[in-house]
């Protein structure tokens, strides 16, 4: 479960700082522009009119931590106004002796590389190289569009597997553009209430849309593409289903209200999700939804991981 | 309760048609570009690359139908790719002997007028008049931005009262831009699932954000501004809280699946919401949320209308 949290801030001219700490617990490759935790200091990016303050926390699935370090991967970047992406490897691949973390990690690594490559292109030869290389408008070429970034990163990924994935890009005018395939999610909190929420996509209960190495999977064209106009002080919480299946929105709001430090808040949310997932008496968002859809899901079923690789699920398996 | 439903379609060159039927049950003034029901025929607008097929249905609140015809108002327009707006007059004004429908109706009438006026300006003298009149960029001047339309319509409204309001504009590239103040809502259904949903804003339970004649109300700056990239075949369901308080998302999906005619679907949804609101044994989204927040709300409390004018509510009142 990966939980990046942003808090949007205005840029102070005296405060411009490019912070390159590297993401904790993230095993993906990072290039020159990758950035991560900046709490409680602010990450104010040159050329941006708005910026993020970012905190992240990742807790691998308890069953997967020893062998592989978890199936989630994420990256954060200072590109344009800032980019954050989370991918969650579909655990069902383990049944076919495929490490589910390989695809999600490579997907994030490729996305990070693409962003880094194109930022260099942009700074060296604005417009010209992009025009020749991409034969499209500059905006699309340099991946101002999160859906195009998904397309390119997916095409560049060679690992076997599949992953749910979400990418959010902050534009300099304050718009947060989001492309989402599957059941990763994003919430925007403003003045103590959630004013924007992504909606998960699934084929049927617990079988989310996913980018895949196989042709049966979804593509960037299946992404839900949305945007939300941010205001100073907004908080953005992103995560894989490990967060949103185990923590209710009102708990996210109350947890965020407790912490001014976004890194501490991300850690608290991750711990809350982990505790709920191991608490047999907690009626989680996941178990509530399962009941609504006619399933009686024992708590341990979710705990051991129930994502599927695409085959039609038998109700007995649920 | 007003329920406009859209289904997005591609334009067939042989099928361009400007349909001017006038909105059923809508008492607001309409100008030259107002359009309404087009089911099952398609509304394909000149100059657009995407278009809407629109069906609407309005059922006034049972307690208000005789005196005032209800407190909801809406308008639809062919402007640009199409505009739809819903406003819900805050019923608490009746306690001060103010007709709650006046504000919502005038707000929609002003919005409709503004859109009509600016379309004429645009066609007569593209750019020049807008520059002199508005002193802003053309896009903002002609209200391609739903938040700017809210600002202008609110400023032009002189009635006493307040209203929740939502405006959605379809751009020619397929993006649906939305500005929302309060607890009206919008859902986008794609392939049988909700892929986008607005989030209501409220000060506290059952006291929504609202545009008002009084300075204590909210302004366009408080609107949540979002957008979603539409695909052909998407269905957009908009409504006041009368719909979303009484009908679950999965019921909206199943009802929409039953009807290919959007006008029939809008009518079916409105009837379902009405039936649920008068069924004391139905555990609605509203009563579920009330319980989550610690209230024990009798069904008839919602039925008789519980919106507030802004004073702090006493729990006994709920």
């Amino acid at each position: 479960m990966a939980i990046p949290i942003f808090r949007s801030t205005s840029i102070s001219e005296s405060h411009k700082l490019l912070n390159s700490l590297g993401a904790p617990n993230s095993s993906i490759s990072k290039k020159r522009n990758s950035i991560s935790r900046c709490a409680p200091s602010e990450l104010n990016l040159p050329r941006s009119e708005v910026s993020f303050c970012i905190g992240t926390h990742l807790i691998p699935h308890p069953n997967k931590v020893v062998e592989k370090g978890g199936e989630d991967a994420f990256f954060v970047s200072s590109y344009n106004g800032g980019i954050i992406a989370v991918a969650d490897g579909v655990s069902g691949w383990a049944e076919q002796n495929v490490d589910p973390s390989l695809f999600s990690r490579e997907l994030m690594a490729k996305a990070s590389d693409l962003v880094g490559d194109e930022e260099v292109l942009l700074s060296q030869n604005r417009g010209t190289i992009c025009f020749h290389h991409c034969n499209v408008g500059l905006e699309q070429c340099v991946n101002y569009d999160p859906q195009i970034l998904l397309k390119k990163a997916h095409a560049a990924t060679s690992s076997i597997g599949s992953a749910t994935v979400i990418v959010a890009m902050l534009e300099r005018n304050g718009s947060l553009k989001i492309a989402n395939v599957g059941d990763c999610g994003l919430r925007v909190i403003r003045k103590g209430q959630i004013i924007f929420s992504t909606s998960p996509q699934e084929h049927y209960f617990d079988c989310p849309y996913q980018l895949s190495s196989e042709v049966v999977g979804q593509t960037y064209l299946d992404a839900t593409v949305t945007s939300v106009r941010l205001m100073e002080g907004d908080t953005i919480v992103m995560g894989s289903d490990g967060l949103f299946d185990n923590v209710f929105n009102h708990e996210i709001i109350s947890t965020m209200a407790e912490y001014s430090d976004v890194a501490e808040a991300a850690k608290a949310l991750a711990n809350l999700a982990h505790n709920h997932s191991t608490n047999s008496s907690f009626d989680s968002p996941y178990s509530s939804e399962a009941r609504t859809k006619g399933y009686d899901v024992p708590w341990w079923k979710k705990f051991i991981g129930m994502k599927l690789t695409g085959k039609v699920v038998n109700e007995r398996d649920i």
Side-chain angles (χ1 to χ4, degrees), chain A residues 25-51:
Chain A
N25 298 318
S26 173
S27 56
I28 62 171
S29 69
K30 288 182 191 61
K31 299 193 71 166
R32 59 204 73 81
N33 68 334
S34 293
I35 52 99
S36 184
R37 288 196 304 150
C38 64
S41 63
E42 290 178 2
L43 174 70
N44 290 324
L45 309 174
R47 300 194 316 273
S48 260
E49 292 168 7
V50 290
S51 70

Side-chain angles (χ1 to χ4, degrees), chain A residues 126-257:
Chain A
R126 185 174 178 91
T128 309
I129 289 178
C130 278
F131 179 79
H132 290 301
H133 281 223
C134 307
N135 199 28
V136 294
L138 185 64
E139 289 273 324
Q140 192 176 55
C141 174
V142 297
N143 293 324
Y144 282 114
D145 187 328
Q147 192 178 26
I148 300 299
L149 181 58
L150 280 185
K151 174 187 179 182
K152 292 184 175 179
H154 188 197
T157 300
S158 57
S159 297
I160 302 297
S162 60
T164 62
V165 58
I166 187 167
V167 176
M169 289 184 174
L170 180 63
E171 296 192 324
R172 297 176 199 177
N173 64 4
S175 281
L176 187 71
K177 293 172 70 174
I178 302 144
N180 188 31
V181 178
D183 59 4
C184 291
L186 182 149
R187 308 283 185 269
V188 178
I189 301 172
R190 179 178 300 166
K191 297 177 182 174
Q193 57 189 323
I194 288 176
I195 58 103
F196 178 84
S197 177
T198 55
S199 299
Q201 306 157 299
E202 58 185 15
H203 300 288
Y204 45 85
F205 181 62
D206 217 20
C207 183
Y209 281 26
Q210 50 205 266
L211 297 185
S212 174
S213 56
E214 313 304 307
V215 291
V216 295
Q218 283 64 63
T219 74
Y220 73 103
L221 293 172
D222 297 295
T224 302
V225 182
T226 54
S227 75
V228 54
R229 200 174 292 171
L230 296 183
M231 296 174 67
E232 186 176 354
D234 285 352
T235 300
I236 300 105
V237 178
M238 276 179 78
S240 56
D241 64 336
L243 172 63
F244 300 110
D245 279 353
N246 289 301
V247 181
F248 286 98
N249 282 341
H250 67 85
E251 295 176 308
I252 294 174
I253 292 170
S254 59
T255 303
M256 293 309 303

Side-chain angles (χ1 to χ4, degrees), chain A residues 95 211 272:
Chain A
E95 296 166 14
L211 297 185
L272 184 63

Side-chain angles (χ1 to χ4, degrees), chain A residues 1-2 58-61 64 70-74 85-93 100-105 107-108 161-166 180-185 206 208-211 239-245 302 305-308:
Chain A
M1 157 180 50
L58 187 148
I59 296 182
H61 192 291
K64 304 154 192 169
E71 293 159 358
D72 283 5
F74 68 92
V86 172
D88 180 6
V90 172
S91 58
W93 285 95
S101 69
L102 295 179
F103 187 89
S104 55
R105 289 181 185 182
L107 186 67
M108 289 293 90
S162 60
T164 62
V165 58
I166 187 167
N180 188 31
V181 178
D183 59 4
C184 291
D206 217 20
Y209 281 26
Q210 50 205 266
L211 297 185
S240 56
D241 64 336
L243 172 63
F244 300 110
D245 279 353
K302 183 62 188 174
M306 280 299 297
K307 288 266 186 76
L308 304 166

